[in-house]
Amino acid sequence: MSWPDLAPLWLSVQLAGVTTALLLIIGTPLAWWLATTRARIRPFIEAITALPLVLPPTVLGFYFLILFSPNSTLGGLWRDAIGATLTFSFTGLVLASALYSLPFMVQPLQSAFEAVGRGPMEAAATLRAGKLDAFINVAMPMARRGFLTGTVLSFAHTIGEFGVVLMVGGNIPGQTRVISIAIYEQVEVLDYAQAHALSAVLLTFSFTVLLLVYTLNRRAPVRVG
Amino acid sequence: MALSVDIKLALGGFSLEVTHAFELSGITALFGASGAGKSLLLRVISGLETGANGRVSYGSEAWQSAGRSVPAAKRGAGYVFQDSRLFQHLDVAGNLQFAAKRSGADSFEAVVKTLDLQPLLGRRVAALSGGEKQRVAIGRTLLSKPRLLLMDEPLAALDHTRKTRLLPYIARLPEAFGLPVIYVTHSVEEVTRLADRMVVLADGRVLATGGVADTLARLDISEASGKFEAGSVVRAVVTGQNERFLLTELEVAGQSLSMPASAVEMGAELRLRIRARDVALALARPEGVSIRNVLRGEILEIVQEAETAFSEILLDIGGEQRVRSRITRASVETLGIELGQTVFALVKSVSFDRRALPKR
């Protein structure tokens, strides 16, 4: 048996890393807004955020394919500005994955922010801390368990992504051929040995990451509450 | 200088309507039963509650005016919450530095010393007792260099011993830090121990304002203070110590009183609280009873309590001092008590509040 090609695994890790970073940037303010707003449109935004949990990845992927296509407004604008299409590109994969994994970042963060509550933020305000200051130095550290959970779940969920990638990204080595696609292809061509090898790598990798996180979390419990 | 408040706020069926100029010196007690709107008023003053209509100004500086509201972080109003609200992710020193860093306060050592925080500095917040938490919270607020200190029932969650230990720290604040304090409470004891003046709130309206003794002696606040706390505060001067009977002799409005011996100096002025239910009335100076403290007074007011067997009687004992008595309506009728009549108030010695030491 030959040593499996690890490039798809590396690509998956890159995709998950970039997606998780992007989600931290988008998800944090969104989760804070959902946790604190009294706006009437909150349930609508919450429902939209949770959609990826219930929709089949193929449906999401299908809409992304249409949205990203150079014939669409967004896809066209992107092609004109960047000079490359969004479909079948790493960037397109990142955008699609970000939406696909959005609830895995937003929901833990939102409940963590809700647990922080108004009390500490009000205390910070009376201690002369502005809103952003209080958010960064009080709400975020108090919600760090939520950040840990959100980051791990988003990362793991993106690593395991298949349907959306298949629809939007296709199977271009080094570009969009992530590990799940590689395994799928090997099974299609009846190369079970390679499929076994990659699957075992993914299984071991995922388990190790999760084990590490839960062990660290247990050793150094996040001081909240 | 004064903190002028003229606000209206409707919140889920409750309405708060307050017009008052809080004097910016010493301690002002904001007093009333729970649900009277005391905390809500404090939140409006601090800028945490922004839904109110009207004006709040600190001296000539507008904190809130038509359509404009200075954010809480920019008002310089320190706030000590009932539940301390320390930051759980920081230790005690971290909590104190959080405030000091943002205000540029250089009084860290002084605050730590005044509140005896040194042994607590390295402790985790979760490992503090209730009283320690409140001391840290007070210290943290002082380090934010406030221009006005708002305290929202800071002792309500503590047991009696801890309360008693913390009171002197609070009493020292205005002088030690040149800081005016508005102190929310529903405890008459805390008012008598701490406050220079009081504002009584009931159902979102100001019911009475003024000096502590005068205001407490007024009958119309009994609804806010609760029947069993209804009483009066009198000023007394220590005239001697009776070592044979272990009594401290006092003079109140030219009349003499005694209480169980207390370590107070000759000539010291004390404030004594006399609960209305501990005062009985007699038409003539009684003889052959065990009660030693008898004050002569003139009846100023007789108010029947609705739907109870009791009446509240306000007596003028001279020297602008008043004592309140709570006796049954049947007694009022049997004795034939009338306004202007001279009667004798029988005060049980044990009812003197030994903790009511002089202010300053």
Side-chain angles (χ1 to χ4, degrees):
Chain A
M1 184 189 110
S2 64
W3 189 249
D5 176 14
L6 287 181
L9 172 66
W10 174 232
L11 188 67
S12 280
V13 171
Q14 278 180 300
L15 176 65
V18 175
T19 302
T20 305
L22 182 66
L23 277 177
L24 277 170
I25 296 167
I26 302 170
T28 305
L30 177 60
W32 179 252
W33 182 81
L34 286 173
T36 54
T37 187
R38 286 177 210 163
R40 287 208 185 146
I41 59 162
R42 183 180 113 155
F44 291 94
I45 306 296
E46 276 181 311
I48 291 172
T49 310
L51 265 184
L53 289 175
V54 290
L55 277 183
T58 43
V59 173
L60 271 182
F62 173 64
Y63 282 122
F64 272 122
L65 192 61
I66 295 195
L67 188 71
F68 289 174
S69 136
N71 302 328
S72 79
T73 319
L74 176 74
L77 280 175
W78 183 272
R79 191 194 50 194
D80 296 344
I82 307 293
T85 59
L86 262 181
T87 42
F88 310 113
S89 74
F90 185 73
T91 313
L93 273 196
V94 168
L95 292 181
S97 307
L99 189 75
Y100 176 58
S101 296
L102 186 65
F104 291 86
M105 180 63 82
V106 170
Q107 291 187 352
L109 277 183
Q110 186 183 339
S111 25
F113 286 144
E114 279 166 0
V116 171
R118 282 200 318 188
M121 296 301 284
E122 288 185 349
T126 62
L127 297 171
R128 300 176 184 271
K131 288 217 163 99
L132 187 63
D133 181 0
F135 179 72
I136 292 171
N137 293 301
V138 176
M140 281 177 58
M142 286 184 87
R144 57 187 141 169
R145 194 184 285 274
F147 277 97
L148 186 69
T149 312
T151 303
V152 171
L153 288 181
S154 303
F155 190 87
H157 188 241
T158 312
I159 288 273
E161 169 177 345
F162 175 69
V164 174
V165 181
L166 193 67
M167 298 291 281
V168 181
N171 184 9
I172 306 165
Q175 275 285 317
T176 63
R177 187 192 212 173
V178 295
I179 192 162
S180 56
I181 301 284
I183 294 170
Y184 177 70
E185 191 190 56
Q186 284 150 3
V187 173
E188 284 279 275
V189 299
L190 302 176
D191 187 352
Y192 277 31
Q194 285 284 322
H196 260 305
L198 272 187
S199 298
V201 168
L202 189 55
L203 182 67
T204 314
F205 174 81
S206 308
F207 181 72
T208 311
V209 168
L210 290 175
L211 186 66
L212 195 70
V213 164
Y214 285 121
T215 311
L216 283 180
N217 197 15
R218 172 158 298 216
R219 279 230 187 104
V222 182
R223 282 193 208 155
V224 172
Chain B
M1 209 163 64
L3 176 87
S4 320
V5 175
D6 181 5
I7 55 109
K8 277 185 195 177
L9 171 64
L11 208 65
F14 180 80
S15 92
L16 182 69
E17 217 175 309
V18 172
T19 306
H20 184 70
F22 290 87
E23 209 173 299
L24 287 173
S25 70
I27 299 182
T28 306
L30 186 52
F31 178 80
S34 42
K38 309 183 295 291
S39 302
L40 195 57
L41 179 57
L42 222 53
R43 291 176 60 82
V44 171
I45 293 172
S46 67
L48 292 176
E49 174 59 61
T50 51
N53 287 318
R55 292 180 317 99
V56 177
S57 45
Y58 181 91
S60 58
E61 187 183 326
W63 277 358
Q64 186 185 331
S65 53
R68 240 190 103 253
S69 175
V70 177
K74 300 233 161 92
R75 293 192 181 191
Y79 203 121
V80 176
F81 299 89
Q82 186 176 340
D83 53 351
S84 81
R85 301 201 184 175
L86 296 178
F87 301 133
Q88 304 280 337
H89 64 290
L90 301 172
D91 60 10
V92 169
N95 270 277
L96 297 176
Q97 272 146 12
F98 184 97
K101 233 192 277 174
R102 282 159 182 80
S103 69
D106 49 12
S107 49
F108 195 88
E109 301 301 322
V111 168
V112 166
K113 195 160 168 251
T114 309
L115 292 165
D116 296 329
L117 297 176
Q118 192 63 43
L120 305 179
L121 287 179
R123 298 258 292 275
R124 285 183 46 192
V125 166
L128 299 176
S129 73
E132 289 167 339
K133 274 186 190 156
Q134 284 308 59
R135 248 159 64 208
V136 175
I138 292 170
R140 186 178 69 167
T141 305
L142 290 174
L143 284 170
S144 73
K145 283 214 284 195
R147 300 184 285 169
L148 166 66
L149 183 57
L150 305 169
M151 306 185 91
D152 189 359
E153 308 209 30
L155 306 181
L158 307 181
D159 60 43
H160 192 80
T161 318
R162 294 225 163 80
K163 233 179 242 187
T164 315
R165 250 185 252 154
L166 210 49
L167 274 168
Y169 289 106
I170 297 174
R172 246 179 267 154
L173 293 178
E175 256 188 315
F177 296 92
L179 191 60
V181 177
I182 299 180
Y183 186 99
V184 163
T185 183
H186 60 255
S187 150
V188 172
E189 187 195 333
E190 287 172 29
V191 173
T192 27
R193 290 279 320 257
L194 295 173
D196 300 296
R197 66 196 82 83
M198 63 193 293
V199 175
V200 182
L201 216 56
D203 290 325
R205 306 285 186 277
V206 173
L207 201 63
T209 64
V212 170
D214 295 348
T215 312
L216 278 180
R218 283 171 59 183
L219 276 179
D220 58 356
I221 70 156
S222 57
E223 193 186 331
S225 61
K227 296 298 175 226
F228 291 101
E229 281 274 46
S232 47
V233 175
V234 296
R235 296 184 302 277
V237 177
V238 180
T239 54
Q241 298 283 2
N242 181 333
E243 292 185 1
R244 183 165 167 222
F245 293 113
L246 294 176
L247 291 172
T248 297
E249 306 286 351
L250 303 159
E251 187 197 302
V252 175
Q255 310 190 50
S256 62
L257 280 184
S258 59
M259 65 188 282
S262 181
V264 287
E265 283 172 33
M266 273 285 286
E269 192 169 315
L270 297 177
R271 298 208 285 190
L272 305 171
R273 186 155 66 82
I274 303 174
R275 287 187 299 192
R277 60 170 164 153
D278 290 331
V279 178
L281 297 182
L283 295 178
R285 188 172 285 275
E287 284 173 20
V289 294
S290 68
I291 292 178
R292 299 180 45 81
N293 289 319
V294 179
L295 294 169
R296 212 176 102 110
E298 199 171 283
I299 297 197
L300 278 183
E301 272 182 336
I302 302 172
V303 175
Q304 285 194 0
E305 283 177 21
E307 291 168 29
T308 76
F310 293 92
S311 279
E312 285 181 337
I313 318 289
L314 189 65
L315 294 179
D316 180 349
I317 57 167
E320 295 191 350
Q321 303 236 57
R322 282 152 194 205
V323 168
R324 198 192 310 193
S325 162
R326 185 167 186 257
I327 58 176
T328 61
R329 281 153 59 179
S331 299
V332 174
E333 190 163 317
T334 314
L335 296 175
I337 291 175
E338 285 172 357
L339 292 182
Q341 189 178 352
T342 298
V343 293
F344 294 86
L346 283 62
V347 184
K348 294 186 210 165
S349 296
V350 288
S351 72
F352 289 110
D353 192 343
R354 297 188 61 185
R355 290 177 307 258
L357 294 173
K359 264 187 66 71
R360 309 235 164 90

